[in-house]
Every structure is written in structure tokens, then in C-alpha cells.
Amino acid sequence: MISDKGIFTVSLDCELYWGLRDRRTIQQYASNLIGVRNAVKEILKAFYDYEIHATWAVVGFLFFTDVESLRKNLPSELPHYSDPSLSPYRYINESDTLETVYHFAPDIIDLICKYDNQEIGTHTFSHYYCLEKGQNSESFYMDMSSAIKIAEDRGLEIKSLVFPRNQCNSEFLSILVDLGIKCYRGNENGWLYSVVSKEDENKLKKGLRLTDAYINISGHNTYSVHNVSLKKPFNIPSSRFLRPYSKKLFWLEDLRLRRIKKAMSYAAKHKTIFHLWWHPHNFGTNTTQNMAFLRNILEHYKILKKRYNMLSLNMGELSDLIETNL
């Protein structure tokens, strides 16, 4: 029985500049973006070494090779955000060319597909914001249909969704079922991790979430398989965002690691799910330090696997097993 074991789930949000475009210039984040490809190689190697199953939620735009091929495949219905800066389509239309290293990544997708136990999920087609004013269910449906189609054109079946900026919109869940999406990554329980639109973001919550990365404020945030399986699409919530190495906060690294390992141990002992996530671009700089930290986490998983028979499952595998046990 799947409920007889603790489960370690990993998901990564693959977005390149599309996930940062409305918040930072390319110049401000170029080093991280340029370093993504090396980071992905290192992450995949670590996953191979420790037999980690992971979901890579990919923005659909990354499947293309250039702006011309992207323009030919845009949805017929686009989101009309009240804040125009949120829409990538104006950015696309105003650009004569888009540098591949920052905007496109079929090579990264191909590399991920070469490794066993790695799932390609979706991060929507356009890094679609589901809680921002001006968008609606019709444009979301068209966006997701485009994301599924471009993956299918590459022979990939999309089972799993990660909402951009974690803007989970419960009104859209029935659309996911209609499109054949089996699961999504929800947010941690409680006020601290409730997600709102850009204009309603709260600095206090941001500060408390940062503190929570080092000191246990919100709990272990692990979840029973029973609760995850209550309805489709299955909500496989986040347990912990893997914050990148910080030169300013390096002296707190032991606390950060201990926080994650304790939650993993709790999940293994109590047969619940621990879901870790981050962006590959988080590892684009300070890659050596970030990978050392990740390998410490994976080494702990190896111990828990041996001691408590903990399983590593990606989101799609977990939803498939839930379906067979319903």
C-alpha cells in the first residue's frame, strides 16, 4: 500500500526569464540565467546518484527555438491582465529577437528526458498568472491547451501542473480535469503561505516565510496520502521551498538544513508526503554551494529510505499510484 511508506516528492519550476520578466531585467539576473544549464546538469547527476524521481514543470515557451516559431503557436485567446506588465505577449511582440539562453530551452528539456524517473510537467504555456485581475477561465483554458499540445508534439504526456507564482485558483481545477491533468502542486496550509495577486503581496508574510526557512514557524508541512487523494485533480502541496545559498546568511546554513531534514524525518516516520521545490535558476550562481546543500538533503533521504523504506516519487507517479489505490 502506498500509504504504508513516507514519500519524498521533488518538483522544479523551469521558467528561465519568463518567470522573472515582470520583476527584474535580464541584466539584473543574467548570471543566474546563464548558469541554469550547468545547474540542471548537476541536479540531474545528483538525482541519478541518489535515485531521485522529480517533476520538472516547464513553461511551454521553453519548447521553442526562437521567437518566430513561438509567435506561430500563440493561443487564440490571450490573458488581458489589468497590469499590462504581467503579459509576456507585449514583450514578445516588441522584440525583434529573443536570446535563446534566456528564453528558450529545448536542449534542457531533451536532457531531462534522457534521465530515468524524471517527469516533464507544465508551468503553463506562458507563465500564466491565475489570480491577477483581467485573466479568466477561457484564456486559462487556451493557455493550458497550448502547453499540453506543444508537449504532445514532442511525445510527452502532461500529468502535473505547477501554478506560476503558486497562484493556485480553485475555480480552474475543473478545467484541469477536463484537460487530463491529474495533479497540481498546492501551497502549504495556513495564512503564512496563502497566495494572493501581485498588488496584494504582504511584506510581513515574506519576512515570516524567510524566517520559517530557518526556524520552525509553520510546522513540518507534510501531508497524508489520504488527504491528497480526496478529489481530482490531486493536490500535492508544497512542504518547503529550497531557498538558494545566501552569502549574507551563510552562517545560518546549518539551521536551514536541519529544518528540512527534520521535516523529511517526520514524513518518513509518520508515512506522509514531504514535497520539496525550487527553480533551476536558483542554482544558476553559487552552484557549488547549492549542490553541496542539495546533496546533504539527498544523503538524508538515502538514510530514511534504508531505515524507514521511504519512497521517492515524482508528482505524476504519485498521482498514478493514488488512482490505482482509489
Side-chain angles (χ1 to χ4, degrees):
M1 290 287 293
I2 187 174
S3 58
D4 291 340
K5 300 175 181 178
I7 297 167
F8 180 44
T9 299
V10 172
S11 59
L12 300 98
D13 303 8
C14 303
E15 55 192 34
L16 290 182
Y17 189 55
W18 301 111
L20 302 153
R21 181 194 49 77
D22 56 306
R23 293 192 169 180
R24 301 185 187 186
T25 66
I26 286 178
Q27 291 71 27
Q28 289 173 328
Y29 208 64
S31 296
N32 284 76
L33 296 172
I34 291 170
V36 162
R37 283 164 170 79
N38 179 57
V40 169
K41 290 177 183 178
E42 293 295 323
I43 293 167
L44 285 168
K45 185 177 186 303
F47 286 173
Y48 175 82
D49 291 343
Y50 287 92
E51 299 180 336
I52 300 299
H53 301 214
T55 295
W56 301 73
V58 177
V59 170
F61 287 176
L62 300 187
F63 281 89
F64 297 96
T65 56
D66 52 47
V67 69
E68 289 80 12
S69 58
L70 172 57
R71 284 179 180 142
K72 293 175 182 177
N73 290 276
L74 298 184
S76 57
E77 177 68 24
L78 304 180
H80 298 285
Y81 302 113
S82 298
D83 179 357
S85 71
L86 296 176
S87 176
Y89 295 104
R90 184 177 67 173
Y91 174 73
I92 291 169
N93 290 333
E94 292 175 353
S95 302
D96 293 329
T97 185
L98 296 175
E99 292 183 76
T100 298
V101 68
Y102 303 127
H103 300 94
F104 305 111
D107 56 319
I108 293 177
I109 298 167
D110 290 343
L111 179 62
I112 294 167
C113 291
K114 290 179 181 178
Y115 282 77
D116 292 336
N117 309 316
Q118 307 304 304
E119 175 194 20
I120 299 295
T122 185
H123 204 30
T124 71
F125 188 64
S126 65
H127 204 259
Y128 188 102
Y129 300 122
C130 295
L131 294 178
E132 301 295 342
K133 293 179 181 178
Q135 59 80 37
N136 55 41
S137 59
E138 184 178 357
S139 59
F140 177 72
Y141 178 88
M142 295 303 296
D143 184 279
M144 285 296 299
S145 296
S146 295
I148 291 169
K149 182 180 184 303
I150 190 60
E152 286 179 345
D153 289 346
R154 301 294 183 90
L156 298 170
E157 178 187 3
I158 297 297
K159 300 178 182 179
S160 308
L161 165 70
V162 171
F163 287 96
R165 301 270 162 85
N166 296 310
Q167 290 188 5
C168 177
N169 189 333
S170 60
E171 295 180 8
F172 293 167
L173 297 183
S174 61
I175 294 175
L176 300 184
V177 174
D178 292 342
L179 291 172
I181 301 294
K182 293 185 176 184
C183 63
Y184 65 97
R185 189 182 73 210
N187 304 315
E188 294 93 323
N189 294 325
W191 170 82
L192 189 58
Y193 290 96
S194 62
V195 177
V196 294
S197 64
K198 183 179 179 180
E199 68 177 7
D200 294 326
E201 287 179 341
N202 186 306
K203 290 184 179 180
L204 174 61
K205 285 172 67 173
K206 284 186 175 181
L208 289 173
R209 287 199 295 265
L210 175 61
T211 304
D212 193 37
Y214 300 93
I215 301 171
N216 190 345
I217 295 176
S218 66
H220 294 310
N221 293 313
T222 71
Y223 311 92
S224 72
V225 174
H226 171 73
N227 287 338
V228 167
S229 65
L230 292 177
K231 62 180 179 179
K232 295 181 180 179
F234 304 122
N235 177 9
I236 306 174
S238 162
S239 300
R240 179 64 36 202
F241 169 56
L242 181 56
R243 291 184 176 274
Y245 172 83
S246 167
K247 293 180 180 178
K248 293 181 180 179
L249 299 175
F250 77 93
W251 52 282
L252 293 173
E253 287 294 86
D254 287 345
L255 282 178
R256 186 164 70 98
L257 181 61
R258 189 179 308 143
R259 174 88 167 94
I260 293 171
K261 289 169 69 172
K262 282 188 175 181
M264 291 174 65
S265 296
Y266 181 90
K269 293 174 184 177
H270 292 83
K271 301 177 175 57
T272 53
I273 300 166
F274 179 81
H275 189 166
L276 185 70
W277 73 277
W278 70 98
H279 311 87
H281 63 65
N282 295 138
F283 283 23
T285 58
N286 300 310
T287 305
T288 299
Q289 295 90 336
N290 282 311
M291 287 306 306
F293 193 92
L294 176 61
R295 283 184 173 270
N296 275 326
I297 293 172
L298 303 186
E299 190 64 36
H300 188 61
Y301 162 72
K302 184 178 179 181
I303 293 169
L304 297 176
K305 180 181 179 181
K306 183 176 181 180
R307 187 173 298 171
Y308 300 104
N309 206 23
M310 195 177 203
L311 278 177
S312 173
L313 296 174
N314 61 48
M315 291 173 63
E317 291 170 334
L318 179 53
S319 61
D320 285 344
L321 281 175
I322 290 171
E323 277 192 321
T324 61
N325 285 274
L326 288 178

